[in-house]
Amino acid sequence: MFTGLSAFPLTPTDETEVDERAFRALVERLAAAGVDSIGALGSTGGYAYLTREQRARAARIAVDAAGGVPVMIGIGALRTSDVLALAEDAQNAGASAVLLAPVSYQPLTDDEVFGLYEDVTAQLSVPLCVYDNPGTTHFHFSDELHGRIAALPNVGAVKIPGIPADQAAARITALRSGLPDGVALGVSGDQLAAGGLNAGADLWFSVIGGLLPDECLAITRAAAAGGAARAVELSERMEPLWELFGRYGSLRVTSAAAEHLGLVRSPNLPRPLRGLPTEARREVAAALTVLRA
C-alpha cells in the first residue's frame, strides 16, 4: 500500500464529538477520487486530541467508508500501553497499516524511541509506518536510528519531512541506503512533495490530498510517469495554498478550506485550536478560486 498518494483527511471535531457524517463523507470522497491509500487519524486528523473511544470509532468509519482502499490509522500516544491498545483497535477495525510517531512530553532518547517501536511492532499483524515529524514531536531521528527501527518486524514504511528539491535526491539516496529492502520511503511537507517524488520517494503523505485529491493525484501521477517538470508545474499552481500553509499552519488552512467547500461545519477543530480569522479565511477562499480557475 506504500506507493503513490496517501491522503490524510480531517477528523471534524467540536468540543463534544466527532462529526461522523462529515468524516465518512470526506473518506468516501477520497476513495471515489482513486487515491492509493488513506491516512486516517494522522496529524491532520487530530489524533492527539481524541479519546481512545473516538479514535476506535473513527477507525471503523474510515475503513468502512474507504470501500476497499487501504487505510492507515494513526496510533500515537504518550504511553506505550496506550499505543498498544490503539494498535489493537486499529487492527480490529480492519486497518491495512498503522502510523506511529514518538509522541512525548518528557524528551525521549534514541533508545527509548527504539524501544517504543520494538514493543509495538512485536504485537502487530499489519505493517507499521514510522512517522518522523519533528515539528510536532520535537524528536529528531538520526539515519542510524531509522535503520535500526526499519529492521524490526512489520515495519513497512518511513514517513519523513519534506526536503528542498535541490537536496532531495541526495537525502533520499542516503536514507534509503540504510533501510532494509522492501521498506518504502515517503515524503510529507506538501509544498516540497513534488521534488521528493521526482527524487525517487515511493509515495507522498499529503495533508491537502485529504481535501483536494484530484490535484494531488495529478502531481503524483506525473512524477511516477517521469514527468518531473509537469509535477513541479502542477505543484507551483498550488503555491497560494503553500504560502498560506507557511503562515497559518496546514491544519488550520485545510480546516478553513474544507469549510469554504461546504464539506465540514464550524467549528471543526478541538479547543484550544481555533479556526482562522475572517481575513485569513478570505485568503484561503481566494487561493481555492485561483487554483480551480
Side-chain angles (χ1 to χ4, degrees):
M1 65 172 288
F2 295 118
T3 59
L5 177 67
S6 187
F8 282 62
L10 292 164
T11 310
T13 308
D14 61 21
E15 287 311 287
T16 59
E17 62 185 0
V18 171
D19 185 342
E20 294 185 359
R21 179 178 297 182
F23 180 59
R24 177 179 290 276
L26 287 171
V27 175
E28 289 174 342
R29 188 168 173 268
L30 297 177
V35 300
D36 298 291
S37 63
I38 294 168
L41 299 173
S43 295
T44 307
Y47 72 91
Y49 298 92
L50 304 178
T51 67
R52 177 183 176 184
E53 291 74 20
Q54 288 173 322
R55 292 170 70 167
R57 175 68 179 161
R60 294 193 296 272
I61 291 170
V63 171
D64 182 63
V69 175
V71 175
M72 179 169 63
I73 300 293
I75 59 170
L78 284 172
R79 295 187 62 177
T80 299
S81 59
D82 292 332
V83 175
L84 291 170
L86 291 162
E88 181 179 6
D89 292 341
Q91 291 174 108
N92 288 339
S96 297
V98 293
L99 174 69
L100 177 58
V103 180
S104 68
Y105 178 77
Q106 295 294 335
L108 297 175
T109 68
D110 281 11
D111 285 343
E112 288 168 337
V113 170
F114 179 82
L116 167 67
Y117 286 96
E118 185 177 42
D119 289 341
V120 174
T121 55
Q123 302 296 320
L124 288 175
S125 60
V126 299
L128 177 142
C129 177
V130 177
Y131 190 3
D132 181 353
N133 187 358
T136 59
T137 65
H138 309 292
F139 181 82
H140 294 268
F141 284 84
S142 66
D143 287 3
E144 186 272 338
L145 181 59
H146 268 310
R148 288 176 64 201
I149 292 172
L152 291 168
N154 296 313
V155 174
V158 176
K159 177 183 188 288
I160 62 172
I163 317 160
D166 61 348
Q167 303 170 29
R171 176 73 187 112
I172 289 172
T173 298
L175 182 53
R176 198 188 294 281
S177 69
L179 302 179
D181 291 342
V183 174
L185 182 57
V187 291
S188 54
D190 283 1
Q191 65 274 28
L192 301 173
L197 291 170
N198 286 337
D202 297 297
L203 73 161
W204 173 15
F205 298 99
S206 178
V207 172
I208 203 63
L211 189 64
L212 302 177
D214 293 335
E215 290 83 351
C216 296
L217 278 168
I219 295 170
T220 308
R221 301 294 185 252
R230 179 60 174 163
V232 170
E233 177 188 357
L234 291 169
S235 179
E236 288 176 346
R237 288 193 64 231
M238 300 180 76
E239 182 58 37
L241 281 177
W242 307 154
E243 195 272 333
L244 293 172
F245 275 19
R247 278 199 282 144
Y248 301 118
S250 61
L251 176 58
R252 294 178 184 86
V253 172
T254 301
S255 165
E259 284 185 41
H260 178 73
L261 295 173
L263 300 173
V264 299
R265 65 193 183 198
S266 179
N268 57 72
L269 297 175
R271 293 292 183 98
L273 299 178
R274 301 199 181 197
L276 293 179
T278 300
E279 183 54 39
R281 289 173 181 272
R282 292 196 186 102
E283 293 181 84
V284 171
L288 291 171
T289 298
V290 170
L291 179 60
R292 299 194 146 189

